[in-house]
Amino acid sequence: MTETLVKDTYMTTAIAGALKAAMAEDESVIVLGEDVELSTIGCTKGLVDEFGTNRVRNSPISEATVVGSCVGAAATGLRPVMDLMFSSFFYVALDQVANQAARLRYMSGGQVDLPLVYFAGTGPSGSAAAQHSENPHSLLMHLSGIKVVFPSSPGDAAGLLIASVRDPNPVVFLLDLMLAGSKGPVPAEIEPLLIGKAEVKRSGDDVTIVAIASAVGAALEVAAELEADGVSAEVIDPRTLTPFDWDAVTESVARTGRLVVVDPARRTCGAAGEIVARVTESNWPDLKSRPRRVTWEDVPIPFSPVLEEAVTLRQDQIREAVTATVAGNGRA
Amino acid sequence: MATAERQRQEVDLIGLFARMARIRAFERKVQALFKRGNLPGFVHLYIGEEAVGVGACSVLDDADKITSTHRGHGHLLAKGADPKLMMAELLGRETGYCKGKGGSMHIVDYSLGILGANGIVGGGLPIATGSGLADRVLGRDRVTVCFFGDGASNQGVLHEALNLSAIWSLPVIFLCENNHYTEWMRTEDITAGRIADRSQAFGIPGVQVDGNDVLAVREAAATAVARARAGEGPSLIEAETYRHHGHNEGEEVFSGPYRPQDEIDDWIARDPLVLFRNRLVDDGAAPEQFDEIQEREEQLIEEAYRFAEESPMPAAASALDDLYAETE
Amino acid sequence: MEVTVPKFGVTMQEATLTEWHVAEGDSVEEGQPLADIETDKVDAQLEAPGGGVVKELRAEAGTVVKVGAVVAILDPA
């Protein structure tokens, strides 16, 4: 990151800045989606004024067709970025994502590049209820054929956005809505970050905590608290889920011997399960205790704040899991 | 017309006004609660569109069904939903229609044929089609009104739902509330042709009505319902109306004004409650009763709020209930 | 009467209460701006939910407050 001018910036503003830079450097980049001109969430704000309506287009509520249009456009010369608003709407367009975007290159034996980005706000945002609170990253990871980027900070988001647009593959870029209003340092000149590279957000020796998106902040808070109890926790932010930086995690667990995965998603068949399975396979001799996952309950996200809190991640759960893993002795 | 007949008509007409007044009072209360930060989540208000929901539901029986949208409070109240249980749901209480699990966009009351509000634009179109299919297969004399918005008219499922309902002659009334704005976009900028004309591709009737005239909506709905009950299949109605408020409450601070003020003023001047009241008064109805009705409905809503406010939050453990039905 | 922080838009989880426009003991009317609040997208104002007298201010100017937090108490008129 160049240090020339680093400013504390809102996540949404940082993303808008990165998109602007990406559009300025490459005329083939276009932006599509509902209300991308007005941009009530803020990630495409100002783009239509800068680049005009040929390249920044409001689209009707027709997710399947607009998602699929991005496939066709990407295959024939454009680099489309589509704002789906809420990640739950991927489900409306699932055929075009799963059967088309994630398949065409492979099925064609590598003839087609699809340099597109599907951007969406994701996750619970406080009583948005079941159809507006999904975190579908596990589902998307499982598809294969599509990259999945899920940053935890404005600086990471900006750098990864530029990288996503430049990537010749289809990329799903997820904006954790719990973090959308958060602030962090972002350089005025945004450098692309490598897709597929994790970052150690906090170094430690006793336990490796892998945390995804908004879980990173919670994990860091728990790590800071447990420092007082003599526990030295390492927190790794994968930043990209596909391709996943397995080396970073296996190297860390080789040192610490302990793993806790914190994933803001349901438990069954979730990313956390994948991470635990792989680390168990690769680091079996290193493990001093049972790996643990902290996840949502296996239910849709309920509306009432009391219920939403009961099924999503809580810091006390993270603390419990880390403490138990550290106390474990190879038999527990 | 004989006095008795006119009296009967008057009672029905006054009832229509009262129902619209109830919706207006409910939404005003929700508006106030949201502004104070007392409501979890977001809400989409129906203020200005009351004539559509009330006009359409006024020709339905309790056993008939509706599917609704994210802007569904009006549809639900028009179909007879209980304001207490709705308010409790909006406040996330255990006593709400969905025990706090659904919230504003997902309220359901199967006992009244309310198959649900829906947070996905166009989400109700296939569901309404299926409801019609069940009636057809089981030979039931029932209809389903599918409320959807101008935004949803661009979802592929509209094409599929119209086609499927047409080929199987399903008893479904597809009622588009065209309030001219899809979220913050002008609908005409992103919609080709006239929505009512989309019926032509499927050989079914499609009409445009003044959505702020409750009797015009009622009449169009009655025609479509009669056709459906006679086994002749679906119809498309496009009701032109306008929402006085934004897409969702709280948006103004960051959306800024995206609709011309004179356009908003013109539509507010055609407030469906005021239009209907004036018409009834012109036809000889006593003017004082309308104020009384509005006050009565406001009181009902105030009681609904008190009920909701005093209701407990759901127990945390209940979050795991209701996922699957029990089996033997 | 509680004055709570409303939610302006989906992404808002918290806001900075930048400045109070009233002090404890002041009389206020419904809708009167009580404080300036700043979020990721907008500078907005916190309005009085009803008329009354400001009994207690619970948040300091310049601090971050969460959506739904009670930042002031009014004695209703």
Side-chain angles (χ1 to χ4, degrees):
Chain A
M1 234 167 43
T2 52
E3 303 297 325
T4 42
L5 194 67
V6 176
K7 212 174 82 151
D8 250 19
T9 310
Y10 287 114
M11 185 99 136
T12 47
T13 313
I15 289 169
L19 254 183
K20 182 172 167 184
M23 291 189 79
E25 76 178 11
D26 186 341
E27 269 180 12
S28 69
V29 179
I30 67 165
V31 173
L32 296 172
E34 294 150 35
D35 282 297
V36 293
E37 290 186 23
L38 188 62
S39 188
T40 49
I41 290 191
C43 298
T44 59
K45 205 165 191 71
L47 295 180
V48 69
D49 298 328
E50 183 87 20
F51 300 104
T53 54
N54 192 33
R55 292 177 67 194
V56 181
R57 292 172 181 254
N58 274 352
S59 57
I61 305 183
S62 310
E63 287 85 356
T65 296
V66 181
V67 165
S69 295
C70 291
V71 175
T76 55
L78 288 182
R79 302 184 87 95
V81 176
M82 179 186 176
D83 182 354
L84 274 93
M85 240 186 213
F86 284 93
S87 66
S88 296
F89 306 158
F90 275 116
Y91 300 157
V92 183
L94 202 52
D95 167 69
Q96 292 292 329
V97 177
N99 282 327
Q100 314 299 337
R103 296 285 173 263
L104 280 178
R105 183 167 211 281
Y106 183 84
M107 293 192 300
S108 70
Q111 289 180 60
V112 176
D113 280 348
L114 298 176
L116 59 82
V117 177
Y118 294 133
F119 176 95
T122 194
S125 57
S127 289
Q131 294 172 327
H132 286 73
S133 304
E134 284 290 278
N135 266 335
H137 51 280
S138 307
L139 212 146
L140 295 165
M141 286 166 77
H142 185 75
L143 280 179
S144 82
I146 192 157
K147 296 192 176 180
V148 182
V149 169
F150 205 175
S152 73
S153 70
D156 286 349
L160 286 170
L161 201 300
I162 301 243
S164 298
V165 176
R166 289 186 187 173
D167 199 303
N169 293 286
V171 179
V172 170
F173 186 105
L174 298 173
L175 163 65
D176 194 317
L177 288 172
M178 291 301 289
L179 301 175
S182 67
K183 263 182 161 172
V186 180
E189 302 275 319
I190 304 166
E191 295 290 319
L193 288 175
L194 208 54
I195 290 186
K197 189 108 180 63
E199 186 174 52
V200 177
K201 290 290 206 280
R202 180 187 219 274
S203 296
D205 308 307
D206 298 332
V207 57
T208 302
I209 307 175
V210 178
I212 294 172
S214 49
V216 171
L220 287 171
E221 280 179 35
V222 169
E225 281 168 28
L226 291 178
E227 180 100 60
D229 299 335
V231 174
S232 162
E234 178 145 299
V235 177
I236 299 183
D237 175 4
R239 303 194 295 192
T240 304
L241 297 176
T242 306
F244 196 94
D245 189 349
W246 295 113
D247 286 345
V249 177
T250 56
E251 185 281 324
S252 174
V253 177
R255 280 184 289 110
T256 66
R258 298 184 184 91
L259 175 69
V260 173
V261 186
V262 190
D263 183 14
R266 286 180 289 273
R267 194 172 202 78
T268 300
C269 294
E274 177 63 28
I275 297 168
V276 167
R278 291 244 193 168
V279 169
T280 307
E281 289 166 348
S282 58
N283 292 79
W284 178 249
D286 305 315
L287 288 174
K288 297 174 186 162
S289 68
R290 163 163 69 86
R292 283 171 169 79
R293 321 178 253 185
V294 184
T295 68
W296 295 351
E297 300 283 352
D298 282 331
V299 288
I301 298 296
F303 167 76
S304 182
V306 161
L307 299 180
E308 182 171 352
E309 206 204 336
V311 306
T312 50
L313 300 182
R314 293 188 313 275
Q315 255 180 304
D316 59 280
Q317 291 173 317
I318 304 174
R319 196 176 313 118
E320 241 176 75
V322 176
T323 308
T325 309
V326 169
N329 58 2
R331 303 193 73 90
Chain B
M1 186 192 300
T3 313
E5 173 80 280
R6 189 184 290 131
Q7 276 179 345
R8 253 196 308 280
Q9 276 228 350
E10 265 186 33
V11 169
D12 288 337
L13 298 176
I14 297 297
L16 291 182
F17 180 85
R19 191 52 60 90
M20 291 201 289
R22 175 173 303 180
I23 296 170
R24 181 65 59 93
F26 186 92
E27 297 294 69
R28 286 273 179 239
K29 184 69 184 176
V30 170
Q31 173 191 354
L33 291 173
F34 182 89
K35 201 157 186 189
R36 287 177 215 176
N38 290 357
L39 273 188
F42 30 93
V43 283
H44 310 81
L45 298 186
Y46 200 64
I47 297 173
E49 304 189 17
E50 294 87 350
V52 183
V54 172
C57 291
S58 72
V59 297
L60 301 180
D61 299 329
D62 276 356
D64 292 322
K65 295 151 285 178
I66 65 165
T67 61
S68 174
T69 66
H70 56 284
R71 196 178 306 284
H73 302 164
H75 307 143
L76 270 46
L77 287 168
K79 192 68 172 63
D82 185 339
K84 293 202 314 293
L85 305 185
M86 282 180 62
M87 197 60 85
E89 186 61 28
L90 262 65
L91 286 170
R93 309 294 163 132
E94 172 181 278
T95 51
Y97 261 120
C98 308
K99 306 174 199 168
K101 295 212 164 82
S104 166
M105 290 188 285
H106 313 110
I107 296 179
V108 173
D109 182 350
Y110 271 97
S111 72
L112 287 173
I114 297 169
L115 304 183
N118 209 302
I120 299 296
V121 171
L125 285 155
I127 296 173
T129 305
S131 164
L133 176 63
D135 290 334
R136 190 80 172 146
V137 168
L138 297 172
R140 293 189 301 220
D141 177 22
R142 306 221 182 119
V143 302
T144 305
V145 171
C146 175
F147 290 102
F148 64 101
D150 42 281
S153 73
N154 293 319
Q155 280 287 18
V157 285
L158 173 64
H159 174 107
E160 294 175 10
L162 291 179
N163 186 62
L164 208 54
S165 306
I167 59 172
W168 290 339
S169 294
L170 301 183
V172 184
I173 295 93
F174 292 98
L175 206 168
C176 179
E177 286 171 315
N178 184 354
N179 62 21
H180 301 288
Y181 284 84
T182 296
E183 289 166 327
W184 302 277
M185 301 179 282
R186 268 170 31 120
T187 299
E188 67 184 39
D189 292 341
I190 52 163
T191 305
R194 257 184 17 147
I195 295 170
D197 291 343
R198 292 176 178 200
S199 62
Q200 288 179 25
F202 305 98
I204 65 173
V207 297
Q208 223 176 22
V209 297
D210 178 359
N212 282 22
D213 178 344
V214 67
L215 293 182
V217 174
R218 178 184 160 96
E219 199 178 306
T223 304
V225 166
R227 178 181 140 83
R229 284 204 210 283
E232 288 161 20
S235 309
L236 176 62
I237 301 171
E238 179 193 350
E240 288 207 77
T241 183
Y242 202 78
R243 45 168 164 81
H244 292 187
H245 279 224
H247 168 68
N248 61 271
E249 287 306 279
E251 67 168 34
E252 320 77 52
V253 285
F254 54 77
S255 72
Y258 58 95
R259 303 186 296 181
Q261 191 56 48
D262 56 339
E263 177 186 277
I264 300 175
D265 293 339
D266 285 345
W267 277 98
I268 292 183
R270 297 196 66 243
D271 184 325
L273 272 77
V274 172
L275 288 182
F276 194 47
R277 174 193 180 131
N278 290 346
R279 175 179 181 157
L280 294 179
V281 167
D282 285 348
D283 283 350
E288 319 78 59
Q289 66 185 310
F290 297 100
D291 288 329
E292 281 163 21
I293 289 169
Q294 277 178 305
E295 268 169 42
R296 192 185 70 213
E297 293 301 332
E298 278 160 25
Q299 191 145 346
L300 189 80
I301 299 309
E302 208 40 54
E303 280 163 26
Y305 172 64
R306 264 199 300 277
F307 166 80
E309 240 257 310
E310 287 162 16
S311 292
M313 282 291 192
S318 72
L320 303 182
D321 297 336
D322 300 317
L323 188 59
Y324 296 108
E326 294 292 329
T327 54
E328 295 312 308
Chain C
M1 195 189 302
E2 293 179 339
V3 180
T4 37
V5 180
K7 190 171 163 105
F8 294 119
V10 174
T11 60
M12 182 180 169
Q13 303 296 328
E14 57 192 26
T16 307
L17 195 149
T18 47
E19 197 188 329
W20 281 108
H21 295 303
V22 296
E24 289 176 8
D26 285 352
S27 263
V28 296
E29 286 174 2
E30 183 174 334
Q32 181 176 334
L34 301 175
D36 288 339
I37 52 179
E38 187 194 281
T39 74
D40 63 316
K41 269 186 291 299
V42 70
D43 299 331
Q45 294 198 309
L46 197 58
E47 291 177 8
V53 174
V54 178
K55 185 172 164 195
E56 192 191 332
L57 297 182
R58 281 200 187 163
E60 290 215 10
T63 58
V64 172
V65 292
K66 283 207 165 329
V67 166
V70 177
V71 291
I73 306 283
L74 303 181
D75 264 333

